[in-house]
Amino acid sequence: MNTADTIYRLVESYQYEKEIKKSIFLAYAIPVASEEQAQEWLQKISVPEATHNCWAYRIGQNYRSDDDGEPSGTAGRPILQVIEKQNFDQLLILVIRWFGGIKLGAGGLIRAYSGTAAECLRQAPRIEYIPQKTASILCSFSDYELLKARMAEYDAQIINEAFGAEVEMKITVPEDAYIALYERVLDITRGQAVIVEC
């Protein structure tokens, strides 16, 4: 995938249903933050009485798919390709099929699973996904106000502050702005602040 491409995440879970030659295909698109969470969702929403529960997920560099009894490569992999093609991350898609009595053939299955998954994602509410880093900044009281004022320049958010002998700010910052922020913190504090990734 081109690094210039925008990556998306779901705002919330979404479902889409389609009938293809008397078979019902029901797609669920669910935001997930870990492989464990993806497996928990699969346990929760799979329908054992359905003919097939085919799925795929992508979480960063981790991805898996399952054809659940459909011919190899006709369900799980096409669903995963939809996730990749539409540039989604941290996403699970489950497509449940109730067989309607008419065989679709390999090409028909690929089109049915990928088409149902793709339409589900097209309709689902999405936001741009910007990978974040969390860091802790330890600084003196004399540098605190100036540092705090500079956070917005790097789209950094202060998520916690603790005041003791020094000030500790816990922040989140877009990954691509982290190095510039790190250097700015050291510059402002003349190398006195400590900034550590959490």
Side-chain angles (χ1 to χ4, degrees):
M1 181 173 60
N2 185 333
T3 54
D5 289 341
T6 301
I7 299 172
Y8 296 100
R9 285 183 66 191
L10 283 186
V11 174
E12 59 190 9
S13 299
Y14 194 81
Q15 68 183 63
Y16 170 78
E17 186 176 308
K18 185 174 185 179
E19 182 177 330
I20 301 168
K21 294 190 177 177
K22 299 192 177 179
S23 283
I24 301 296
F25 290 84
L26 174 60
Y28 287 97
I30 298 165
V32 289
S34 67
E35 293 185 82
E36 295 75 25
Q37 194 178 24
Q39 292 299 332
E40 287 169 15
W41 272 107
L42 286 169
Q43 292 292 320
K44 192 182 298 185
I45 62 174
S46 291
V47 180
E49 309 80 56
T51 318
H52 302 283
N53 289 270
C54 304
W55 54 267
Y57 65 72
R58 175 181 170 199
I59 301 156
Q61 298 304 310
N62 299 317
Y63 50 88
R64 283 188 57 201
S65 62
D66 190 339
D67 294 314
D68 190 39
E70 291 283 27
S72 181
T74 61
R77 187 82 188 123
I79 295 168
L80 183 59
Q81 287 171 337
V82 166
I83 294 171
E84 292 169 345
K85 190 172 181 183
Q86 292 197 32
N87 287 337
F88 272 85
D89 195 2
Q90 299 192 337
L91 175 69
L92 163 69
I93 297 182
L94 167 67
V95 180
I96 303 168
R97 179 188 184 195
W98 287 269
F99 182 56
I102 299 172
K103 291 190 175 184
L104 302 179
L109 287 171
I110 291 168
R111 286 189 296 279
Y113 281 102
S114 63
T116 305
E119 190 56 36
C120 183
L121 277 189
R122 275 193 284 277
Q123 294 182 17
R126 67 178 68 191
I127 56 170
E128 185 176 340
Y129 173 57
I130 300 168
Q132 301 280 317
K133 279 187 188 274
T134 303
S136 180
I137 302 171
L138 196 61
C139 68
S140 67
F141 279 93
S142 59
D143 292 325
Y144 166 67
E145 288 299 333
L146 184 54
L147 282 178
K148 187 174 180 178
R150 295 292 184 262
M151 291 295 130
E153 294 173 22
Y154 301 92
D155 290 327
Q157 303 290 320
I158 298 170
I159 53 177
N160 192 24
E161 294 176 313
F163 300 91
E166 294 183 292
V167 180
E168 182 178 2
M169 287 187 283
K170 193 169 184 183
I171 62 161
T172 60
V173 60
E175 277 184 8
D176 58 2
Y178 178 76
I179 298 297
L181 174 65
Y182 182 93
E183 291 170 353
R184 187 68 184 271
V185 166
L186 293 180
D187 183 47
I188 288 171
T189 64
R190 300 152 313 282
Q192 297 302 303
V194 176
I195 180 166
V196 181
E197 279 186 56
C198 299

